[in-house]
Amino acid sequence: MAATYTFDVFTSLDGFGSCSGDGDWGGYWGKQGPELLEHRLAVYGAEQRMVFGANTYRQFVEMLATSSADSEVFDPWVTRMWNLPTTVVSRTLEGPLGRPDATVVSGDAVDVVARLKEESTVPLRSHGSLSMNRALMAAGLVDRVHVTVFPVITGRTGTDPIFQGAADFDLELLETRTLDGRTQELIYRPTLHI
């Protein structure tokens, strides 16, 4: 049986994954709360393998290297996620990555993840890696889309549109919850709309 692959992403209500330097939102758009942080820690507590594209991996490395110890970059769930076994799909990065459980696999993400799904004994999860995950969704390799919607509209400062350029999908809602009375978590099963 193939391993389940989850595309996990944070977004503003208007579909942006981050905001420009002109925005003063901060991490989580300033809307994190204890329930969200505890829930994220539980989500990443399960045994799983992370899958990142090269750009997202580089961004995480840079954020970790340049952030202060009290930054949300070091929230416990992020630390747990970062320490999970990881596959980085890249044609530009070369290993070793300086982490014992992180490997670089060169090639097309669709081929790499299809192989990982067949070989992995644990679920696969990706946080971010937007263009890679859009391609994986189009190829039918994403089993779950885990969207955390923060209660903000970033029309002026929003960057990184989550689904810009994606194919069309029908979504079956599998789970929903409200965290801290304001942030929505939605888990869908995507099906390519034909």
Side-chain angles (χ1 to χ4, degrees), residues 7-8 19 62 81 97 116-117 142 153 165 178 182 185:
F7 170 26
D8 184 359
C19 57
E62 183 180 333
M81 176 185 70
L97 296 175
L116 280 174
K117 284 183 62 123
V142 174
I153 294 174
T178 301
R182 63 179 171 248
E185 178 185 77

Side-chain angles (χ1 to χ4, degrees), residues 5 7 137 140-145 169-172 174 187-193:
Y5 183 97
F7 170 26
M137 285 180 68
L141 293 172
V142 174
D143 302 294
R144 303 283 185 275
V145 179
F169 291 88
D170 291 304
L171 300 173
E172 176 188 352
L174 302 175
I187 301 176
Y188 294 103
R189 178 181 296 122
T191 305
L192 195 59
H193 184 81

Side-chain angles (χ1 to χ4, degrees), residues 7-52:
F7 170 26
D8 184 359
V9 65
F10 287 174
T11 183
S12 60
L13 181 63
D14 51 345
F16 292 102
S18 60
C19 57
S20 70
D22 296 337
D24 60 355
W25 297 98
Y28 310 100
W29 290 275
K31 306 297 183 193
Q32 74 272 32
E35 193 175 5
L36 171 77
L37 297 176
E38 288 171 22
H39 179 67
R40 295 298 293 179
L41 187 59
V43 165
Y44 282 91
E47 188 178 4
Q48 55 200 304
R49 171 171 284 281
M50 296 304 300
V51 180
F52 294 115

Side-chain angles (χ1 to χ4, degrees), residues 8-159:
D8 184 359
V9 65
F10 287 174
T11 183
S12 60
L13 181 63
D14 51 345
F16 292 102
S18 60
C19 57
S20 70
D22 296 337
D24 60 355
W25 297 98
Y28 310 100
W29 290 275
K31 306 297 183 193
Q32 74 272 32
E35 193 175 5
L36 171 77
L37 297 176
E38 288 171 22
H39 179 67
R40 295 298 293 179
L41 187 59
V43 165
Y44 282 91
E47 188 178 4
Q48 55 200 304
R49 171 171 284 281
M50 296 304 300
V51 180
F52 294 115
N55 291 337
T56 298
Y57 185 82
R58 284 185 192 102
Q59 288 171 345
F60 274 120
V61 168
E62 183 180 333
M63 284 189 302
L64 290 167
T66 60
S67 297
S68 63
D70 61 343
S71 167
E72 63 268 350
V73 171
F74 293 103
D75 283 344
W77 79 266
V78 179
T79 300
R80 185 173 286 172
M81 176 185 70
W82 190 246
N83 288 314
L84 286 168
T86 300
T87 298
V88 180
V89 181
S90 175
R91 291 185 174 129
T92 58
L93 280 176
E94 294 182 12
L97 296 175
R99 293 178 41 215
D101 283 338
T103 57
V104 177
V105 179
S106 182
D108 181 81
V110 169
D111 297 333
V112 171
V113 171
R115 188 172 56 252
L116 280 174
K117 284 183 62 123
E118 291 303 318
E119 296 172 356
S120 182
T121 58
V122 298
L124 305 169
R125 177 176 289 270
S126 182
H127 184 71
S129 298
L130 302 179
S131 61
M132 178 186 80
N133 281 303
R134 288 190 297 257
L136 295 175
M137 285 180 68
L141 293 172
V142 174
D143 302 294
R144 303 283 185 275
V145 179
H146 183 158
V147 182
T148 304
V149 182
F150 288 85
V152 298
I153 294 174
T154 58
R156 186 175 49 83
T157 58
T159 60

